[in-house]
Amino acid sequence: MTIKQIRAFLAVAQSLSFAVACERLHLSQSALSLTIKALEEGLGGRLFSRNTRNVALTAEGESLLPLARRLIADWDNAEDEMRQRFSLQRGRVTLAAMPSFAGNLLPPILKTFRARYPNVNVTVNDVINEQVLEMVRDRQVELGVAFEPMQNTSMTFTPLYMDRFVAVVSKDSPLAQRGEIDWQTLLQEPFITLQRPSTVRVMLEEHLQARGMKLPVEFESHQLATVGRMVASGLGVSAVPALCAEQMQELGAHCLTLDDSVERAIGVLTEPGNELSAAAQALFDILKAEDLGRL
């Protein structure tokens, strides 16, 4: 059975008139008759008994009628749902973002998205940078926001902006009076950072190693928030991506400009060949349009 045949059957069954059904369907009587004939041949028997004056449903036609109504209703509902998804009147988009981005820059972006598409739901997976790459690669999410991969990858990376690391000290530290600080001075203090295999930790170590220095870690944690609280309490200093600067200050720490900062692009990761849904594409477009360097 085809949708065209079922619609033709319903039009005749509900009106019990081929002439009325032709008007409803905008078909000629010969085209409608051929459609009904093809349906009957496909099913193996007659659905209508008809003569020059009357059209009536056979017993089999009566049995098909409620099924046909349900099929058409399901079909129309499916069409309507897909149109709403493509027009962003409904839908869902899944995103993975490293915590520093998810907790600092993502909320105002989602606010813009929500204002434009209030009926589209967003699922945010707040995971470490390495897991963002895994979730995109395994197609658990459509979009990922992370640092530019340090190794070759098959994923597509679309840069959004360049992030520069900043130094983090306690507000009570004499270093807080400075506007800028160099690595030699910063590393004289106990250093607090993220545990391996954090991308932030790896970038710090590689940056310093290239300059003949070593990262003297005395405290480490799995969460940037914990690092910030440790620094704020006076346990030591740290260096974090600039996108975390506001978070560090909220935790009671103070941020300084580094004279030789670690730089790394932050952008959107997508899986090649995996066409984005309309909702994911809309969020992707907003991410690209935002001036993230000012947020």
Side-chain angles (χ1 to χ4, degrees), residues 69-116:
R69 284 175 174 153
R70 189 164 69 244
L71 285 169
I72 292 298
D74 288 345
W75 179 270
D76 289 343
N77 288 338
E79 281 191 325
D80 183 59
E81 178 174 338
M82 293 311 300
R83 287 194 183 97
Q84 288 184 43
R85 286 182 179 273
F86 280 118
S87 63
L88 295 174
Q89 295 175 8
R90 66 184 300 180
R92 176 179 294 277
V93 55
T94 55
L95 169 78
M98 52 187 179
S100 51
F101 186 91
N104 294 282
L105 299 188
L106 187 58
I109 293 170
L110 293 181
K111 186 175 181 180
T112 299
F113 181 82
R114 190 67 169 182
R116 294 184 190 177

Side-chain angles (χ1 to χ4, degrees), residues 135-152:
M135 294 187 77
V136 174
R137 185 184 61 238
D138 296 341
R139 301 194 176 187
Q140 297 177 44
V141 297
E142 292 189 86
L143 302 172
V145 181
F147 286 110
E148 183 176 8
M150 302 176 75
Q151 299 177 342
N152 291 333

Side-chain angles (χ1 to χ4, degrees), residues 9 14 17 78 102 111 123 131 135 184 188 220 263 265 273 290:
F9 167 78
Q14 290 168 348
S17 167
K111 186 175 181 180
T123 298
Q131 286 181 278
M135 294 187 77
Q184 288 80 3
Q188 289 176 11
E220 55 186 359
E263 292 188 347
E290 287 285 352

Side-chain angles (χ1 to χ4, degrees), residues 43 230 232 270:
L43 293 176
M230 287 182 176
T270 53

